[in-house]
Amino acid sequence: MNEIEKYIRRKPYGGTIPEAYSSLSEALYHEWKGFATAFRWFTDKAYSASSGLQIIGQNIFYKENGDYEAYPYKMPTLDRVEQLKRTLMKSDPNIKLNANKPSAEFNMDDPLWPGRFIRIAIWVYPRIWNGFTTITFRRQIVNFMTYDEQAGKKTIGYESIKLHRLLGNTFRNTVVAGATDSGKSTLANTHVGEQLIAADHRMGGILIEKHPESTLPYIMSDHRLIPIRAENEELMDVGIESLRHDPEIIFMTEMRYNEWQFYLFSGEKGHKGLTGTYHTEDPEDIPYQAALAVQTRIGGSLKGHLISALKSIEIVSIMESMSNGVKKETRVSEIYFDELNNSVFANDLIRYERDSDSWTYNSHITERLKERMIRKDPNAAKLFFDELDRLSKEKPMKNPMKESLKSKILLQG
């Protein structure tokens, strides 16, 4: 910028500048760098709470309170979009985009939040039509939140704060699921972070991420947290190696195919304290989807992988984004395998009721899960059962069980 300003003083410019820029030097810099009119989302604090920006061709949209709105300016030309794509790819020299590899995902440093990343996903022709190069940016905008702060945001009910903490203290294998921008990553960080806060010793933890998202290694530095970057084929090997570093907690974000393979492997080996995030809103079908992901990855018997998933996944928390942008934990479910009848259910323990804008509770937990909780922490388990029983009497839930038809067809077929 200094060099540009020196040049302008020597050779003044008397014309007009595009409306998006406040000065000539700013316009020249960002046109040269390639961010063009989109630059304000990256540099202006007015957009610091915006979690997403999307460029489709020349059109730009930004996320405000959970919904995409029209950005004040468009990209000047399609050439400027291609220039921006090339600039972004310099963040990672290993990224390739061409006709044979028309998509890419990588990170860049966030100019507004030092130490954090912006996740970038790019699609180019022939994945999409010519002239519709698509670039999506996702910003990590939320620091670690306690359960008290989640309740303050109305993500969970105030009355359930103690219940959530006690459940975390029993270290059940948990999946936090929901759609994109539903708040699942934030809640998963709350879940793991609260486990660390409650610990009476230096806990060991492994964080396995394809793209760094969690801030826990920075803010929970008193514990033995090892952040690992691993993806695709290497993830299973790296995951198995990580078990040699004595982790008590394993936290995996963005579980897809390879991540599920390691989750089920660890769960079958008897590891407790597994937490992962996943894209879905149906807790009863998560074991089936996990089994299908593993079969897609390594083959084998789908039914066998489903049995493995049912041994590994114990609790599912579902997050949803409401129309006003507020994130809600809409269900906390026990995964119940009825071996006698070969069927799988989500047994809701907590459920958000939209009509009353409140949560209801169910205290009927299977004996199998009760035994596991007591084995891990008898005191926390007893307090959890008592608290859940109290809440279920105050705010009883109707019809807590929902069957997985996919699992039923597979198991009974």
Side-chain angles (χ1 to χ4, degrees), residues 280-319:
T280 191
E281 294 182 353
D282 301 311
E284 66 277 2
D285 285 333
I286 285 181
Y288 177 89
Q289 293 173 13
L292 185 61
V294 176
Q295 188 203 40
T296 302
R297 169 78 180 89
I298 63 173
S301 166
L302 181 58
K303 185 181 289 189
H305 293 314
L306 176 57
I307 299 299
S308 174
L310 292 169
K311 290 181 179 179
S312 304
I313 305 167
E314 297 174 302
I315 298 292
V316 173
S317 173
I318 299 295
M319 290 293 295

Side-chain angles (χ1 to χ4, degrees), residues 73-308:
Y73 313 103
K74 293 187 175 185
M75 291 294 281
T77 65
L78 290 175
D79 285 342
R80 280 286 182 264
V81 178
E82 294 304 307
Q83 183 184 357
L84 173 56
K85 180 192 74 178
R86 293 191 295 270
T87 297
L88 294 170
M89 289 173 63
K90 292 177 182 177
S91 299
D92 190 336
N94 297 317
I95 294 297
K96 304 294 181 186
L97 271 171
N98 50 48
N100 296 322
K101 196 177 184 302
S103 64
E105 292 184 27
F106 53 99
N107 298 333
M108 65 173 280
D109 293 329
D110 190 337
L112 283 176
W113 297 94
R116 300 190 194 175
F117 298 93
I118 293 174
R119 295 177 60 181
I120 304 169
I122 302 180
W123 277 354
V124 298
Y125 178 85
R127 177 62 50 82
I128 38 82
W129 295 358
N130 253 327
F132 284 85
T133 292
T134 298
I135 309 174
T136 301
F137 304 88
R138 292 174 60 195
R139 168 178 278 145
Q140 181 190 27
I141 61 172
V142 180
N143 278 316
F144 167 71
M145 297 171 67
T146 64
Y147 279 124
D148 298 87
E149 291 168 320
Q150 292 281 15
K153 291 282 188 180
K154 298 183 178 180
T155 303
I156 64 174
Y158 275 105
E159 72 278 2
S160 71
I161 293 173
K162 181 179 178 181
L163 196 67
H164 279 86
R165 286 194 171 119
L166 290 168
L167 180 59
N169 290 345
T170 65
F171 286 82
R172 295 304 89 206
N173 292 341
T174 302
V175 176
V176 183
T180 300
D181 203 40
S182 62
K184 63 181 180 297
S185 294
T186 304
L187 187 68
N189 273 273
T190 297
H191 175 70
V192 175
E194 287 272 7
Q195 289 177 322
L196 295 168
I197 290 171
D200 58 3
H201 63 285
R202 308 290 185 183
M203 289 195 71
I206 300 293
L207 281 72
I208 302 177
E209 302 182 297
K210 182 177 180 181
H211 302 287
E213 278 193 347
S214 178
T215 58
L216 291 178
Y218 296 104
I219 61 176
M220 299 288 179
S221 57
D222 288 344
H223 294 281
R224 301 180 296 107
L225 297 183
I226 306 173
I228 298 172
R229 294 186 66 177
E231 56 183 295
N232 302 333
E233 285 72 20
E234 66 174 349
L235 191 142
M236 188 64 179
D237 291 338
V238 171
I240 292 173
E241 289 175 11
S242 73
L243 299 179
R244 301 184 188 118
H245 293 274
D246 300 323
E248 296 160 87
I249 289 175
I250 297 176
F251 183 18
M252 289 181 285
T253 62
E254 292 293 331
M255 295 201 301
R256 295 175 185 172
Y257 296 99
N258 300 276
E259 291 85 356
W260 271 122
Q261 185 184 359
F262 180 62
Y263 191 103
L264 301 193
F265 170 84
S266 301
E268 274 211 298
K269 292 293 183 183
H271 194 95
K272 303 304 176 189
L274 295 170
T275 300
T277 65
Y278 183 59
H279 284 272
T280 191
E281 294 182 353
D282 301 311
E284 66 277 2
D285 285 333
I286 285 181
Y288 177 89
Q289 293 173 13
L292 185 61
V294 176
Q295 188 203 40
T296 302
R297 169 78 180 89
I298 63 173
S301 166
L302 181 58
K303 185 181 289 189
H305 293 314
L306 176 57
I307 299 299
S308 174

Side-chain angles (χ1 to χ4, degrees), residues 32-46:
W32 163 60
K33 287 291 288 184
F35 285 84
T37 51
F39 84 98
R40 287 201 181 280
W41 187 84
F42 298 91
T43 60
D44 192 332
K45 290 183 178 179

